[in-house]
Amino acid sequence: MFRLISLAVLIAAFAFTAAAQAPAPDWKALASELEKLRAEDQAPRNDLNKLRQAARAAGKPVDEDEGKRLQQTMWQTDQRLQGLLAKIVDQHGWPKKSAVGNAAATGAFLILQHAPPEYKKRYVDRFRAAAMEGEADKSSLALLEDRLLLADNKPQRYGSQVDTAKNGVTLRPVEDEQRLDERRKEMGLEPICDYLNLFTKTYGPVTYAKCLLPKDQPAVAPLTDSYASAMLLLRQRDQPLAAYLMVERLAKVHQIPEQMVDQFRTFVGRDKSEIRAKKQSATPTPPVNRAEVEAVDALVELPRIAKSYRLVTLNESHFSQRHRAFAFLLMKELRAAGYTHFGMEALWVDAQALEKSGGPTSRSGFYTNDPFFADLIREAVRVGYQIFGYEQRPDQEVKNATPLESRIARERAQATNIKAVLDANPNAKILIYAGGSHGAKSYNDPALMMMGQHLMKMTGLELLAIDQQTTGLPAEMLVKSTAGQDGAALVATRPVLLRKSEGQFNANGGYDMSVYQPPENLVHGRGDWRLQYGYRKQRVVDLPALAEPSLLRARQVGLDAKAIPLDQTLVNPGETKAVLFLPVGSYELIREVETGTPTLMGTFTAD
């Protein structure tokens, strides 16, 4: 007995030593290999889609021989890639995003997604575990589980699998259709109608009944003025001008607050200060003596400071396009400083859904209908951020709560959702974009802790809180010396921080520092800060005069038909010129009026 136990111990010890001495996987090399496999997986599929799109554009059937050839190439490629992926997973486990990066992890998933059911079942548990840890996308897990359900002759759960056999796009059988969009949202998927629209270029119109308007309510039917109607115009019909004009009418009869008009105004390309020709107070809060502060470039200093943090909050006013234009610039600088995740409130879809549609659509969120917010997100995805929404979920709401109790629950829920991203990504550095005072480290109401306060308490991490909400005043107006005489003017041409002699920064309450913007110059009623220091260029467009308001929209060629344009601007009745601020690229120029079909005016290239 003693000899047997000793032998078992020796075997166990040997196994432990061998495992301990096994070389760690070279994840960098595996990442490179998986990215190559991803490209190989997509190549024949892209060729097949181009063949179908060309045939549809020409009004002809798909070339049968060429279609079969591409299908055969695709199947052969899939089999080879599945064998290569199996060797990687069996030896090293499922490739996690934190180890190989998002592109390589997506490549592994695509190979799994295109495999036969037996292969999927072999690895689905490993993939599910990775998704639950935040190491794979939940949206991808939803696609995988739907395919396995259909393979077992069961209805799918998330509606990812479409039927294109009848000259259009509809869904294959799905369980509990009434709650489909609710389940999709839980997995980070866009609403089902948005998803089906992604297939229309290749397979024709959406025929799924839930995505069609009733026969007695065509798309151009007039609507009774209400906030619900305005949201329908904005989200489902992609008519921001009609939605804005309706909200304006509602505000005039005091059915909604004026602040809602300010928010919708950004959706037609105007900032509150431009429309009302009003500036914020020229008195800083708190007051600043010009002789006691040093102006430093915010886009240089903030990334340098942020390197020693893992959490940064940047606030905005929801009716300010200018704040989003600055967030775009700071976001890119923080990415270069090592920030990996970008969180936003009121974002309804995940990064993968945004990538599919080429950026936000009218259904991606609420504030994201502003072209400058949409471009902020589009660029964040392009430079490599993991995008996530942290808004309170329905299951986090408190029933029968007072307004204060609801606010408290929302702040706590937002912090909880951000902490979940940190927990799933231990090395993450997160930029959190928040409206109002959500990102503050303290608040003037002791009964209410803001999201930023909750987040520090939950994580034990220090937060760098940046304010830009109350500092849209011209920086050169801070000119008084300590003696009360006019001192040297602070002429700022870029956003600045005001650093005090003791090293701290001038800041609004609850924040570490405030950003002061230079004064704006108006070009045809629009602020030149939209140039974003060289990223965009100004383009004046000549237009025929109309007797009604219109919206001039510039959508980048190749984006989804419902993607938010790169810029759009309100054109008043009788105006014959409008200015657009656009980065380099090719654009469709579209003019929209309140009723009727938007008019494509042509395409042009901004160089």
Side-chain angles (χ1 to χ4, degrees):
M1 185 69 174
F2 176 77
R3 289 176 59 82
L4 288 174
I5 293 173
S6 298
L7 183 60
V9 171
L10 286 171
I11 292 172
F14 177 79
F16 177 81
T17 302
Q21 293 177 349
D26 184 348
W27 289 116
K28 185 175 181 180
L30 288 174
S32 179
E33 181 178 354
L34 285 168
E35 289 181 22
K36 291 177 183 176
L37 299 187
R38 174 182 178 173
E40 292 181 46
D41 173 273
Q42 291 296 289
R45 288 174 168 80
N46 291 337
D47 291 342
L48 192 58
N49 280 335
K50 287 177 183 177
L51 181 70
R52 289 167 175 163
Q53 289 174 12
R56 181 169 183 80
K60 299 178 180 179
V62 174
D63 184 298
E64 187 174 350
D65 291 338
E66 181 65 7
K68 287 182 178 179
R69 185 188 70 78
L70 289 174
Q71 287 276 11
Q72 185 66 25
T73 299
M74 185 172 67
W75 292 330
Q76 291 173 348
T77 301
D78 287 350
Q79 288 181 332
R80 179 172 56 82
L81 297 184
Q82 288 156 24
L84 295 173
L85 178 64
K87 291 180 181 178
I88 293 173
V89 177
D90 291 344
Q91 186 174 357
H92 305 297
W94 189 263
K96 297 181 177 181
K97 287 198 289 187
S98 62
V100 299
N102 190 57
T106 301
F109 163 72
L110 289 173
I111 296 169
L112 178 62
Q113 177 77 332
H114 297 145
E118 314 81 61
Y119 188 100
K120 289 188 179 75
K121 290 177 181 179
R122 178 179 170 186
Y123 295 112
V124 65
D125 288 341
R126 299 192 194 193
F127 187 81
R128 185 182 293 113
M132 293 301 102
E133 294 173 4
E135 293 287 1
D137 292 331
K138 283 188 176 181
S139 57
S140 298
L141 177 62
L143 304 182
L144 182 61
E145 292 190 342
D146 274 355
R147 289 198 174 189
L148 284 172
L149 286 168
L150 289 174
D152 288 338
N153 294 315
K154 297 176 182 178
Q156 58 181 323
R157 184 171 296 122
Y158 303 106
S160 65
Q161 305 305 298
V162 302
D163 185 349
T164 60
K166 299 178 181 178
N167 263 346
V169 184
T170 190
L171 279 184
R172 298 181 68 183
V174 62
E175 67 179 54
D176 189 8
E177 292 183 70
Q178 295 300 319
R179 298 183 61 193
L180 175 57
D181 273 340
E182 183 180 330
R183 295 194 301 276
R184 289 178 64 83
K185 184 176 180 181
E186 289 173 355
M187 300 301 281
L189 295 166
E190 69 270 71
I192 190 59
C193 297
D194 282 0
Y195 177 67
L196 293 178
N197 277 323
L198 299 175
F199 297 89
T200 56
K201 286 184 178 179
T202 303
Y203 297 108
V206 173
T207 59
Y208 182 54
K210 299 290 185 182
C211 298
L212 300 177
L213 290 171
K215 290 181 180 179
D216 60 350
Q217 186 181 307
V220 294
L223 298 168
T224 302
D225 283 2
S226 68
Y227 182 71
S229 294
M231 288 300 292
L232 184 148
L233 287 166
L234 184 69
R235 291 199 63 211
Q236 295 186 23
R237 300 188 182 178
D238 190 28
Q239 292 180 268
L241 175 65
Y244 164 66
L245 294 174
M246 182 178 287
V247 166
E248 263 203 335
R249 292 193 296 269
L250 290 168
K252 287 178 180 177
V253 295
H254 308 292
Q255 291 191 27
I256 62 172
E258 184 68 26
Q259 186 181 34
M260 190 61 67
V261 181
D262 295 333
Q263 292 177 356
F264 273 74
R265 187 173 285 120
T266 68
F267 305 157
V268 294
R270 291 297 173 91
D271 204 82
K272 176 180 177 180
S273 64
E274 297 164 345
I275 294 293
R276 296 184 175 180
K278 291 181 179 179
K279 304 295 182 185
Q280 296 183 29
S281 168
T283 303
T285 305
V288 175
N289 287 319
R290 172 67 182 93
E292 296 180 354
V293 297
E294 173 194 11
V296 294
D297 191 320
L299 292 171
V300 173
E301 192 69 10
L302 286 174
R304 185 189 67 78
I305 297 171
K307 282 186 177 180
S308 59
Y309 291 80
R310 289 185 61 201
L311 295 173
V312 170
T313 59
L314 175 68
N315 71 359
E316 70 155 24
S317 292
H318 290 319
F319 45 77
S320 177
Q321 287 192 299
R322 187 171 197 177
H323 290 169
R324 292 154 188 173
F326 175 76
F328 176 101
L329 299 170
L330 181 61
M331 169 273 297
K332 294 183 71 172
E333 297 297 331
L334 290 182
R335 179 73 183 113
Y339 277 72
T340 58
H341 289 67
F342 191 12
M344 288 159 284
E345 59 181 317
L347 182 66
W348 300 330
V349 298
D350 69 0
Q352 192 173 46
L354 291 170
E355 288 176 355
K356 288 177 184 175
S357 56
T361 69
S362 56
R363 296 188 183 186
S364 299
F366 178 64
Y367 307 122
T368 55
N369 283 278
D370 169 15
F372 275 72
F373 206 146
D375 198 35
L376 162 65
I377 296 172
R378 192 181 291 116
E379 184 71 4
V381 173
R382 191 192 71 79
V383 300
Y385 275 102
Q386 290 292 304
I387 302 291
F388 68 95
Y390 60 82
E391 189 53 85
Q392 178 186 34
R393 301 188 306 270
D395 63 286
Q396 294 173 317
E397 295 174 358
V398 178
K399 295 180 179 179
N400 304 317
T402 65
L404 178 60
E405 289 170 339
S406 294
R407 179 72 185 277
I408 292 171
R410 185 186 180 202
E411 300 293 337
R412 184 186 302 113
Q414 288 184 336
T416 299
N417 296 339
I418 296 169
K419 181 179 182 296
V421 175
L422 272 172
D423 291 343
N425 302 274
N427 297 318
K429 300 187 74 169
I430 300 181
L431 170 59
I432 303 156
Y433 195 46
S437 300
H438 293 303
K441 299 167 73 170
S442 62
Y443 194 56
N444 54 17
D445 184 350
L448 180 61
M449 279 181 64
M450 306 311 292
M451 173 266 288
Q453 295 172 271
H454 281 294
L455 192 57
M456 287 195 297
K457 185 176 180 180
M458 290 177 182
T459 64
L461 296 173
E462 183 58 37
L463 172 70
L464 177 63
I466 306 167
D467 163 56
Q468 63 168 339
Q469 184 181 8
T470 59
T471 55
L473 55 120
E476 80 271 23
M477 303 191 77
L478 312 177
V479 299
K480 293 295 183 182
S481 70
T482 52
Q485 303 298 317
D486 288 344
L490 171 58
V491 181
T493 58
R494 288 172 60 86
V496 297
L497 307 175
L498 299 178
R499 183 160 51 202
K500 302 176 184 178
S501 56
E502 62 271 25
Q504 295 178 324
F505 291 90
N506 194 63
N508 189 36
Y511 290 87
D512 293 302
M513 54 201 60
S514 292
V515 178
Y516 292 83
Q517 298 284 357
E520 65 181 0
N521 298 305
L522 297 183
V523 181
H524 290 283
R526 307 191 77 201
D528 63 352
W529 45 263
R530 287 186 171 84
L531 293 169
Q532 292 177 292
Y533 305 101
Y535 167 64
R536 294 174 181 251
K537 293 184 179 181
Q538 171 188 315
R539 181 173 289 269
V540 179
V541 181
D542 293 317
L543 301 166
L546 296 180
E548 59 181 322
S550 61
L551 186 67
L552 184 65
R553 317 181 77 184
R555 180 180 290 116
Q556 201 165 24
V557 172
L559 290 186
D560 183 271
K562 290 192 175 182
I564 305 300
L566 269 289
D567 194 15
Q568 55 193 26
T569 185
L570 183 67
V571 182
N572 294 318
E575 288 184 340
T576 59
K577 289 185 183 294
V579 63
L580 294 169
F581 293 88
L582 297 167
V584 172
S586 298
Y587 297 90
E588 296 175 326
L589 201 60
I590 302 159
R591 196 170 190 183
E592 176 191 342
V593 294
E594 184 173 11
T595 59
T597 305
T599 302
L600 177 62
M601 300 179 65
T603 61
F604 70 93
T605 299
D607 49 23

